[in-house]
Amino acid sequence: MADIVVVFDFDKTIIDCDSDNWVVDELHATELFNQLLPTMPWNSLMGRMMEELHAQGKTIEDIVEVLKRAPIHPSIISAVKAAHDLGCDLKIVSDANLFFIETILKHHGIWELFSEINTNSSFVDEEGRLKIFPHHDFTKSSHACSTNICPPNMCKESMSKEKKIIYIGDGTGDFCPSLKLKQTDYIMPRKNFPVWDLICQNHKLIKADIHEWYDGQELQHVLLQIINSNIIISNEQDDGDDNGDSTQLVTVDCKLHKIPVSAH
């Protein structure tokens, strides 16, 4: 099923927290963060916070240890591995940053399963300080998002138009790409999170098939059900293949969950 691309958001989707807030809170810098928050964009603030933490004597090793403790549902790890084993192309589109994402995914042994990571850039400088930069330099130009919902440093709307997309997310920034999905695509919004609310309020604008999820276990069940359904359809359509080869399906025991838009 190499013709299916599964696109994951990261914060509150793959991990069950916001990685920025997690690092700030775990390193006891929440008060300073809240003081600075009204004065600058979020992405710029995170760069500033890394400088402040470094000045307070926090090391890159301290940040790594905190990231390793970030909560992640074990079913998420299983879902990523199963989708990869079924031949899906896995990608991440996130407003976190590369260092946070790479550290967490490597810790859980699934970093190599993703073919592409689109996020804010970051690197550790010669002094051991983590530097974070916006995915899009909004100080020079706008990314020209038509929804006016996306943050200035990143719009997630860029999508492959040739392959079937399964997009999984939770936040406001995940609404913009959901508008770009085709009728043959799928959007999996996390129930009772901002993107779910936006889709419920604007469901007529969504062409893709909508399947909600609540937690990591339900994400795994819904995702694998969608993939398995497409494998079955693909095998049925491939009536010219006479070699007896069959794709191994992953068993799930739940039904597809669609957003009850009529209730909103």
Side-chain angles (χ1 to χ4, degrees), residues 6-9 12-13 76 79 165-171 174 178 181 185-191 193 195-196 199 206 208-227 256-257 259:
V6 184
V7 181
F8 293 85
D9 175 42
K12 299 181 183 179
T13 298
I76 297 290
I165 304 291
I166 304 173
Y167 189 98
I168 310 170
D170 71 283
D174 298 309
S178 73
L181 295 173
D185 296 331
Y186 300 84
I187 176 69
M188 289 178 55
R190 188 169 189 178
K191 187 176 181 180
F193 279 72
V195 71
W196 186 83
I199 289 175
I206 306 298
D209 211 2
I210 305 169
H211 299 272
E212 68 183 35
W213 58 281
Y214 179 76
D215 58 15
Q217 184 175 13
E218 191 168 27
L219 182 153
Q220 179 188 27
H221 286 182
V222 174
L223 175 61
L224 296 184
Q225 180 99 24
I226 293 173
I227 296 171
L256 293 180
H257 296 273
I259 287 183

Tab-separated table of all heavy atoms in Angstrom, residues 6-9 12-13 76 79 165-171 174 178 181 185-191 193 195-196 199 206 208-227 256-257 259:
chain	number	residue	atom	x	y	z
A	6	VAL	N	0.360	8.439	5.251
A	6	VAL	CA	-0.220	8.767	6.547
A	6	VAL	C	0.554	9.947	7.123
A	6	VAL	O	1.758	9.850	7.355
A	6	VAL	CB	-0.174	7.574	7.527
A	6	VAL	CG1	-0.882	7.944	8.834
A	6	VAL	CG2	-0.814	6.336	6.912
A	7	VAL	N	-0.140	11.067	7.313
A	7	VAL	CA	0.483	12.286	7.811
A	7	VAL	C	0.040	12.505	9.255
A	7	VAL	O	-1.156	12.648	9.527
A	7	VAL	CB	0.105	13.505	6.951
A	7	VAL	CG1	0.789	14.763	7.476
A	7	VAL	CG2	0.464	13.263	5.491
A	8	PHE	N	1.011	12.529	10.161
A	8	PHE	CA	0.734	12.739	11.575
A	8	PHE	C	1.118	14.145	12.008
A	8	PHE	O	2.190	14.636	11.649
A	8	PHE	CB	1.563	11.778	12.439
A	8	PHE	CG	1.227	10.325	12.338
A	8	PHE	CD1	1.774	9.535	11.333
A	8	PHE	CD2	0.388	9.723	13.269
A	8	PHE	CE1	1.495	8.177	11.253
A	8	PHE	CE2	0.107	8.369	13.194
A	8	PHE	CZ	0.653	7.594	12.184
A	9	ASP	N	0.269	14.786	12.793
A	9	ASP	CA	0.711	15.871	13.638
A	9	ASP	C	1.525	15.220	14.761
A	9	ASP	O	1.536	13.988	14.896
A	9	ASP	CB	-0.509	16.621	14.188
A	9	ASP	CG	-0.141	17.708	15.177
A	9	ASP	OD1	0.843	18.432	14.921
A	9	ASP	OD2	-0.824	17.827	16.211
A	12	LYS	N	0.211	16.210	21.017
A	12	LYS	CA	-1.150	15.787	21.349
A	12	LYS	C	-1.747	14.864	20.288
A	12	LYS	O	-2.967	14.657	20.253
A	12	LYS	CB	-2.056	17.000	21.587
A	12	LYS	CG	-1.590	17.877	22.740
A	12	LYS	CD	-2.512	19.055	22.972
A	12	LYS	CE	-1.988	19.947	24.086
A	12	LYS	NZ	-2.849	21.134	24.324
A	13	THR	N	-0.886	14.312	19.446
A	13	THR	CA	-1.320	13.317	18.460
A	13	THR	C	-0.435	12.087	18.598
A	13	THR	O	-0.890	11.040	19.053
A	13	THR	CB	-1.260	13.883	17.029
A	13	THR	OG1	-2.168	14.993	16.920
A	13	THR	CG2	-1.664	12.832	16.007
A	76	ILE	N	0.004	4.073	20.092
A	76	ILE	CA	0.505	4.944	19.034
A	76	ILE	C	1.741	4.327	18.396
A	76	ILE	O	1.885	4.300	17.165
A	76	ILE	CB	0.845	6.342	19.587
A	76	ILE	CG1	-0.415	7.039	20.130
A	76	ILE	CG2	1.530	7.192	18.529
A	76	ILE	CD1	-1.401	7.457	19.080
A	79	ALA	N	0.666	1.496	16.296
A	79	ALA	CA	-0.002	1.955	15.073
A	79	ALA	C	1.007	2.401	14.033
A	79	ALA	O	0.867	2.092	12.840
A	79	ALA	CB	-0.955	3.096	15.409
A	165	ILE	N	-4.309	10.228	1.039
A	165	ILE	CA	-3.808	10.781	2.289
A	165	ILE	C	-4.704	10.373	3.448
A	165	ILE	O	-5.933	10.428	3.348
A	165	ILE	CB	-3.750	12.321	2.237
A	165	ILE	CG1	-2.911	12.814	1.054
A	165	ILE	CG2	-3.234	12.899	3.553
A	165	ILE	CD1	-1.451	12.533	1.170
A	166	ILE	N	-4.079	9.975	4.547
A	166	ILE	CA	-4.764	9.869	5.834
A	166	ILE	C	-4.080	10.885	6.743
A	166	ILE	O	-2.901	10.743	7.071
A	166	ILE	CB	-4.654	8.460	6.452
A	166	ILE	CG1	-5.189	7.396	5.491
A	166	ILE	CG2	-5.390	8.407	7.786
A	166	ILE	CD1	-4.953	5.967	5.969
A	167	TYR	N	-4.817	11.917	7.127
A	167	TYR	CA	-4.229	12.993	7.934
A	167	TYR	C	-4.764	12.895	9.361
A	167	TYR	O	-5.978	12.844	9.579
A	167	TYR	CB	-4.569	14.357	7.338
A	167	TYR	CG	-3.823	15.491	8.002
A	167	TYR	CD1	-2.667	16.022	7.442
A	167	TYR	CD2	-4.265	16.030	9.212
A	167	TYR	CE1	-1.965	17.038	8.063
A	167	TYR	CE2	-3.573	17.044	9.847
A	167	TYR	CZ	-2.438	17.550	9.259
A	167	TYR	OH	-1.732	18.550	9.884
A	168	ILE	N	-3.848	12.907	10.337
A	168	ILE	CA	-4.218	12.728	11.742
A	168	ILE	C	-3.712	13.922	12.549
A	168	ILE	O	-2.515	14.228	12.532
A	168	ILE	CB	-3.606	11.435	12.318
A	168	ILE	CG1	-3.892	10.246	11.400
A	168	ILE	CG2	-4.146	11.170	13.720
A	168	ILE	CD1	-3.131	8.991	11.775
A	169	GLY	N	-4.629	14.604	13.239
A	169	GLY	CA	-4.197	15.756	14.017
A	169	GLY	C	-5.198	16.144	15.088
A	169	GLY	O	-6.257	15.522	15.244
A	170	ASP	N	-4.847	17.205	15.823
A	170	ASP	CA	-5.701	17.632	16.924
A	170	ASP	C	-5.934	19.136	16.974
A	170	ASP	O	-6.936	19.590	17.499
A	170	ASP	CB	-5.071	17.225	18.261
A	170	ASP	CG	-3.844	18.067	18.577
A	170	ASP	OD1	-2.779	17.815	17.998
A	170	ASP	OD2	-3.954	19.016	19.381
A	171	GLY	N	-4.990	19.932	16.466
A	171	GLY	CA	-5.001	21.353	16.737
A	171	GLY	C	-5.594	22.219	15.641
A	171	GLY	O	-5.937	21.756	14.546
A	174	ASP	N	-4.240	22.078	12.167
A	174	ASP	CA	-4.548	20.905	11.348
A	174	ASP	C	-5.834	21.082	10.538
A	174	ASP	O	-6.167	20.228	9.715
A	174	ASP	CB	-4.665	19.661	12.239
A	174	ASP	CG	-3.366	19.345	12.956
A	174	ASP	OD1	-2.331	19.278	12.274
A	174	ASP	OD2	-3.378	19.203	14.196
A	178	SER	N	-6.818	19.965	6.318
A	178	SER	CA	-8.035	19.165	6.119
A	178	SER	C	-8.901	19.732	5.005
A	178	SER	O	-9.623	18.995	4.332
A	178	SER	CB	-8.837	19.087	7.431
A	178	SER	OG	-9.467	20.319	7.731
A	181	LEU	N	-7.776	18.277	1.498
A	181	LEU	CA	-7.875	16.850	1.219
A	181	LEU	C	-8.963	16.557	0.192
A	181	LEU	O	-9.969	17.259	0.104
A	181	LEU	CB	-8.160	16.087	2.509
A	181	LEU	CG	-7.055	16.139	3.570
A	181	LEU	CD1	-7.536	15.485	4.865
A	181	LEU	CD2	-5.780	15.469	3.068
A	185	ASP	N	-9.509	10.954	0.233
A	185	ASP	CA	-8.635	11.027	1.398
A	185	ASP	C	-9.430	10.848	2.691
A	185	ASP	O	-10.661	10.738	2.688
A	185	ASP	CB	-7.907	12.380	1.439
A	185	ASP	CG	-6.965	12.575	0.266
A	185	ASP	OD1	-6.447	11.569	-0.255
A	185	ASP	OD2	-6.760	13.732	-0.141
A	186	TYR	N	-8.685	10.843	3.806
A	186	TYR	CA	-9.293	10.692	5.129
A	186	TYR	C	-8.710	11.728	6.081
A	186	TYR	O	-7.505	11.991	6.064
A	186	TYR	CB	-9.023	9.294	5.700
A	186	TYR	CG	-9.548	8.160	4.863
A	186	TYR	CD1	-8.800	7.664	3.792
A	186	TYR	CD2	-10.782	7.575	5.124
A	186	TYR	CE1	-9.271	6.627	3.005
A	186	TYR	CE2	-11.270	6.530	4.346
A	186	TYR	CZ	-10.501	6.057	3.284
A	186	TYR	OH	-10.975	5.035	2.513
A	187	ILE	N	-9.567	12.293	6.920
A	187	ILE	CA	-9.105	13.168	7.989
A	187	ILE	C	-9.495	12.523	9.322
A	187	ILE	O	-10.643	12.114	9.507
A	187	ILE	CB	-9.686	14.594	7.872
A	187	ILE	CG1	-9.263	15.467	9.058
A	187	ILE	CG2	-11.197	14.591	7.725
A	187	ILE	CD1	-7.811	15.824	9.079
A	188	MET	N	-8.535	12.420	10.231
A	188	MET	CA	-8.775	11.821	11.542
A	188	MET	C	-8.533	12.881	12.619
A	188	MET	O	-7.429	13.005	13.147
A	188	MET	CB	-7.858	10.611	11.754
A	188	MET	CG	-8.206	9.397	10.918
A	188	MET	SD	-7.045	8.012	11.176
A	188	MET	CE	-7.127	7.785	12.960
A	189	PRO	N	-9.565	13.646	12.978
A	189	PRO	CA	-9.419	14.654	14.027
A	189	PRO	C	-9.585	14.036	15.420
A	189	PRO	O	-10.415	13.136	15.611
A	189	PRO	CB	-10.561	15.626	13.721
A	189	PRO	CG	-11.624	14.754	13.133
A	189	PRO	CD	-10.905	13.660	12.374
A	190	ARG	N	-8.806	14.536	16.367
A	190	ARG	CA	-8.942	14.053	17.739
A	190	ARG	C	-10.190	14.667	18.373
A	190	ARG	O	-10.349	15.887	18.398
A	190	ARG	CB	-7.700	14.392	18.568
A	190	ARG	CG	-7.725	13.737	19.937
A	190	ARG	CD	-6.399	13.833	20.655
A	190	ARG	NE	-6.425	13.014	21.862
A	190	ARG	CZ	-5.404	12.856	22.699
A	190	ARG	NH1	-4.245	13.461	22.444
A	190	ARG	NH2	-5.518	12.099	23.763
A	191	LYS	N	-11.052	13.826	18.892
A	191	LYS	CA	-12.337	14.272	19.410
A	191	LYS	C	-12.165	15.229	20.589
A	191	LYS	O	-11.322	15.009	21.469
A	191	LYS	CB	-13.175	13.057	19.850
A	191	LYS	CG	-14.602	13.413	20.248
A	191	LYS	CD	-15.398	12.160	20.577
A	191	LYS	CE	-16.834	12.528	20.950
A	191	LYS	NZ	-17.642	11.328	21.275
A	193	PHE	N	-10.994	18.176	20.559
A	193	PHE	CA	-9.833	19.050	20.424
A	193	PHE	C	-10.145	20.086	19.342
A	193	PHE	O	-11.124	19.955	18.607
A	193	PHE	CB	-8.593	18.225	20.074
A	193	PHE	CG	-7.955	17.578	21.278
A	193	PHE	CD1	-8.561	16.506	21.917
A	193	PHE	CD2	-6.742	18.045	21.772
A	193	PHE	CE1	-7.990	15.906	23.025
A	193	PHE	CE2	-6.156	17.460	22.884
A	193	PHE	CZ	-6.772	16.392	23.511
A	195	VAL	N	-9.259	21.007	16.276
A	195	VAL	CA	-9.559	20.688	14.874
A	195	VAL	C	-10.892	19.970	14.748
A	195	VAL	O	-11.619	20.151	13.768
A	195	VAL	CB	-8.415	19.863	14.243
A	195	VAL	CG1	-8.367	18.444	14.782
A	195	VAL	CG2	-8.545	19.845	12.724
A	196	TRP	N	-11.235	19.177	15.733
A	196	TRP	CA	-12.522	18.470	15.739
A	196	TRP	C	-13.669	19.477	15.792
A	196	TRP	O	-14.655	19.363	15.048
A	196	TRP	CB	-12.565	17.521	16.932
A	196	TRP	CG	-13.751	16.612	17.011
A	196	TRP	CD1	-13.926	15.410	16.372
A	196	TRP	CD2	-14.927	16.814	17.804
A	196	TRP	NE1	-15.123	14.842	16.722
A	196	TRP	CE2	-15.767	15.687	17.601
A	196	TRP	CE3	-15.348	17.822	18.667
A	196	TRP	CZ2	-16.998	15.551	18.225
A	196	TRP	CZ3	-16.577	17.689	19.298
A	196	TRP	CH2	-17.387	16.567	19.069
A	199	ILE	N	-13.933	21.289	12.403
A	199	ILE	CA	-14.522	20.430	11.372
A	199	ILE	C	-16.019	20.256	11.605
A	199	ILE	O	-16.813	20.287	10.654
A	199	ILE	CB	-13.791	19.067	11.325
A	199	ILE	CG1	-12.381	19.258	10.738
A	199	ILE	CG2	-14.586	18.053	10.511
A	199	ILE	CD1	-11.535	18.003	10.753
A	206	ILE	N	-15.397	20.162	4.098
A	206	ILE	CA	-14.470	19.029	4.116
A	206	ILE	C	-14.897	18.000	3.075
A	206	ILE	O	-16.021	17.476	3.116
A	206	ILE	CB	-14.427	18.363	5.509
A	206	ILE	CG1	-14.126	19.404	6.591
A	206	ILE	CG2	-13.402	17.244	5.528
A	206	ILE	CD1	-12.791	20.083	6.460
A	208	ALA	N	-12.891	15.203	2.411
A	208	ALA	CA	-12.355	13.907	2.839
A	208	ALA	C	-13.330	13.190	3.772
A	208	ALA	O	-14.208	13.808	4.392
A	208	ALA	CB	-11.016	14.105	3.535
A	209	ASP	N	-13.154	11.876	3.887
A	209	ASP	CA	-13.937	11.069	4.809
A	209	ASP	C	-13.438	11.362	6.226
A	209	ASP	O	-12.223	11.338	6.479
A	209	ASP	CB	-13.746	9.590	4.471
A	209	ASP	CG	-14.972	8.769	4.795
A	209	ASP	OD1	-15.970	9.349	5.230
A	209	ASP	OD2	-14.916	7.535	4.635
A	210	ILE	N	-14.352	11.620	7.157
A	210	ILE	CA	-13.996	12.061	8.509
A	210	ILE	C	-14.146	10.909	9.497
A	210	ILE	O	-15.203	10.283	9.592
A	210	ILE	CB	-14.891	13.236	8.956
A	210	ILE	CG1	-14.827	14.373	7.940
A	210	ILE	CG2	-14.488	13.726	10.336
A	210	ILE	CD1	-15.885	15.447	8.166
A	211	HIS	N	-13.073	10.643	10.249
A	211	HIS	CA	-13.084	9.568	11.256
A	211	HIS	C	-12.406	10.073	12.522
A	211	HIS	O	-11.208	10.320	12.550
A	211	HIS	CB	-12.361	8.330	10.732
A	211	HIS	CG	-12.979	7.737	9.504
A	211	HIS	ND1	-13.983	6.805	9.555
A	211	HIS	CD2	-12.758	7.988	8.193
A	211	HIS	CE1	-14.354	6.486	8.326
A	211	HIS	NE2	-13.624	7.185	7.485
A	212	GLU	N	-13.194	10.226	13.566
A	212	GLU	CA	-12.667	10.760	14.821
A	212	GLU	C	-11.937	9.693	15.631
A	212	GLU	O	-12.091	8.490	15.401
A	212	GLU	CB	-13.814	11.336	15.657
A	212	GLU	CG	-14.761	10.259	16.162
A	212	GLU	CD	-15.943	10.827	16.926
A	212	GLU	OE1	-16.423	11.915	16.558
A	212	GLU	OE2	-16.382	10.170	17.889
A	213	TRP	N	-11.152	10.146	16.597
A	213	TRP	CA	-10.500	9.246	17.553
A	213	TRP	C	-10.363	9.987	18.871
A	213	TRP	O	-10.302	11.212	18.919
A	213	TRP	CB	-9.133	8.771	17.047
A	213	TRP	CG	-8.167	9.893	16.756
A	213	TRP	CD1	-8.146	10.688	15.647
A	213	TRP	CD2	-7.088	10.340	17.590
A	213	TRP	NE1	-7.119	11.603	15.728
A	213	TRP	CE2	-6.458	11.420	16.902
A	213	TRP	CE3	-6.592	9.941	18.825
A	213	TRP	CZ2	-5.357	12.095	17.427
A	213	TRP	CZ3	-5.494	10.608	19.351
A	213	TRP	CH2	-4.889	11.670	18.660
A	214	TYR	N	-10.312	9.230	19.934
A	214	TYR	CA	-10.307	9.839	21.265
A	214	TYR	C	-8.963	9.709	21.971
A	214	TYR	O	-8.473	10.651	22.585
A	214	TYR	CB	-11.407	9.215	22.129
A	214	TYR	CG	-11.463	9.752	23.536
A	214	TYR	CD1	-12.012	11.009	23.788
A	214	TYR	CD2	-10.965	9.014	24.611
A	214	TYR	CE1	-12.059	11.521	25.080
A	214	TYR	CE2	-11.014	9.516	25.901
A	214	TYR	CZ	-11.556	10.758	26.138
A	214	TYR	OH	-11.593	11.257	27.412
A	215	ASP	N	-8.351	8.519	21.880
A	215	ASP	CA	-7.064	8.291	22.538
A	215	ASP	C	-6.197	7.408	21.640
A	215	ASP	O	-6.577	7.080	20.513
A	215	ASP	CB	-7.249	7.654	23.921
A	215	ASP	CG	-8.004	6.323	23.869
A	215	ASP	OD1	-8.141	5.746	22.765
A	215	ASP	OD2	-8.456	5.852	24.932
A	216	GLY	N	-5.017	7.047	22.141
A	216	GLY	CA	-4.082	6.287	21.327
A	216	GLY	C	-4.622	4.952	20.864
A	216	GLY	O	-4.377	4.534	19.729
A	217	GLN	N	-5.352	4.280	21.728
A	217	GLN	CA	-5.898	2.979	21.358
A	217	GLN	C	-6.915	3.119	20.233
A	217	GLN	O	-6.902	2.342	19.270
A	217	GLN	CB	-6.547	2.320	22.578
A	217	GLN	CG	-7.064	0.917	22.302
A	217	GLN	CD	-7.594	0.238	23.559
A	217	GLN	OE1	-7.801	0.869	24.586
A	217	GLN	NE2	-7.817	-1.063	23.473
A	218	GLU	N	-7.762	4.137	20.330
A	218	GLU	CA	-8.760	4.327	19.279
A	218	GLU	C	-8.111	4.800	17.986
A	218	GLU	O	-8.526	4.415	16.896
A	218	GLU	CB	-9.832	5.323	19.734
A	218	GLU	CG	-11.028	5.363	18.806
A	218	GLU	CD	-12.204	6.114	19.388
A	218	GLU	OE1	-11.989	7.020	20.230
A	218	GLU	OE2	-13.338	5.790	19.002
A	219	LEU	N	-7.077	5.622	18.094
A	219	LEU	CA	-6.338	6.029	16.891
A	219	LEU	C	-5.812	4.810	16.153
A	219	LEU	O	-5.934	4.700	14.934
A	219	LEU	CB	-5.183	6.961	17.270
A	219	LEU	CG	-4.332	7.514	16.107
A	219	LEU	CD1	-3.716	8.864	16.496
A	219	LEU	CD2	-3.212	6.565	15.681
A	220	GLN	N	-5.208	3.880	16.901
A	220	GLN	CA	-4.667	2.675	16.278
A	220	GLN	C	-5.764	1.892	15.569
A	220	GLN	O	-5.606	1.494	14.408
A	220	GLN	CB	-4.003	1.796	17.326
A	220	GLN	CG	-3.424	0.501	16.749
A	220	GLN	CD	-2.933	-0.447	17.826
A	220	GLN	OE1	-3.430	-0.423	18.959
A	220	GLN	NE2	-1.961	-1.275	17.496
A	221	HIS	N	-6.883	1.674	16.247
A	221	HIS	CA	-7.973	0.889	15.660
A	221	HIS	C	-8.533	1.537	14.404
A	221	HIS	O	-8.736	0.885	13.385
A	221	HIS	CB	-9.091	0.707	16.699
A	221	HIS	CG	-8.737	-0.273	17.773
A	221	HIS	ND1	-9.604	-0.620	18.782
A	221	HIS	CD2	-7.609	-0.974	18.011
A	221	HIS	CE1	-9.027	-1.504	19.579
A	221	HIS	NE2	-7.817	-1.730	19.134
A	222	VAL	N	-8.792	2.839	14.476
A	222	VAL	CA	-9.389	3.531	13.337
A	222	VAL	C	-8.421	3.580	12.163
A	222	VAL	O	-8.788	3.302	11.013
A	222	VAL	CB	-9.832	4.952	13.740
A	222	VAL	CG1	-10.329	5.722	12.524
A	222	VAL	CG2	-10.925	4.892	14.803
A	223	LEU	N	-7.170	3.919	12.441
A	223	LEU	CA	-6.174	4.010	11.369
A	223	LEU	C	-6.001	2.681	10.652
A	223	LEU	O	-6.010	2.614	9.414
A	223	LEU	CB	-4.835	4.483	11.939
A	223	LEU	CG	-3.663	4.512	10.952
A	223	LEU	CD1	-3.937	5.461	9.796
A	223	LEU	CD2	-2.369	4.890	11.665
A	224	LEU	N	-5.844	1.613	11.411
A	224	LEU	CA	-5.612	0.310	10.783
A	224	LEU	C	-6.850	-0.198	10.062
A	224	LEU	O	-6.743	-0.888	9.048
A	224	LEU	CB	-5.134	-0.703	11.822
A	224	LEU	CG	-3.779	-0.378	12.464
A	224	LEU	CD1	-3.345	-1.484	13.402
A	224	LEU	CD2	-2.711	-0.117	11.407
A	225	GLN	N	-8.032	0.170	10.558
A	225	GLN	CA	-9.260	-0.207	9.850
A	225	GLN	C	-9.310	0.479	8.486
A	225	GLN	O	-9.666	-0.138	7.476
A	225	GLN	CB	-10.486	0.188	10.677
A	225	GLN	CG	-11.799	-0.169	10.029
A	225	GLN	CD	-12.400	-1.452	10.577
A	225	GLN	OE1	-12.091	-1.840	11.701
A	225	GLN	NE2	-13.237	-2.102	9.805
A	226	ILE	N	-8.949	1.758	8.444
A	226	ILE	CA	-8.936	2.487	7.173
A	226	ILE	C	-7.933	1.861	6.209
A	226	ILE	O	-8.230	1.629	5.032
A	226	ILE	CB	-8.601	3.973	7.396
A	226	ILE	CG1	-9.735	4.666	8.161
A	226	ILE	CG2	-8.372	4.676	6.057
A	226	ILE	CD1	-9.402	6.091	8.580
A	227	ILE	N	-6.736	1.591	6.707
A	227	ILE	CA	-5.694	1.009	5.846
A	227	ILE	C	-6.124	-0.360	5.341
A	227	ILE	O	-6.012	-0.673	4.152
A	227	ILE	CB	-4.355	0.916	6.603
A	227	ILE	CG1	-3.839	2.321	6.953
A	227	ILE	CG2	-3.317	0.179	5.760
A	227	ILE	CD1	-2.637	2.315	7.880
A	256	LEU	N	-15.382	1.939	12.119
A	256	LEU	CA	-14.935	3.291	11.802
A	256	LEU	C	-15.824	4.280	12.537
A	256	LEU	O	-17.035	4.128	12.599
A	256	LEU	CB	-15.029	3.536	10.292
A	256	LEU	CG	-14.078	2.722	9.418
A	256	LEU	CD1	-14.310	3.090	7.958
A	256	LEU	CD2	-12.634	2.970	9.786
A	257	HIS	N	-15.181	5.294	13.101
A	257	HIS	CA	-15.926	6.301	13.848
A	257	HIS	C	-16.014	7.574	13.032
A	257	HIS	O	-15.008	8.189	12.719
A	257	HIS	CB	-15.230	6.596	15.178
A	257	HIS	CG	-15.198	5.417	16.082
A	257	HIS	ND1	-16.222	5.117	16.946
A	257	HIS	CD2	-14.266	4.425	16.239
A	257	HIS	CE1	-15.926	4.018	17.621
A	257	HIS	NE2	-14.757	3.590	17.209
A	259	ILE	N	-17.565	11.511	12.640
A	259	ILE	CA	-18.063	12.593	13.459
A	259	ILE	C	-19.562	12.771	13.259
A	259	ILE	O	-20.043	12.877	12.138
A	259	ILE	CB	-17.349	13.920	13.089
A	259	ILE	CG1	-15.913	13.874	13.626
A	259	ILE	CG2	-18.086	15.124	13.647
A	259	ILE	CD1	-15.152	15.144	13.383
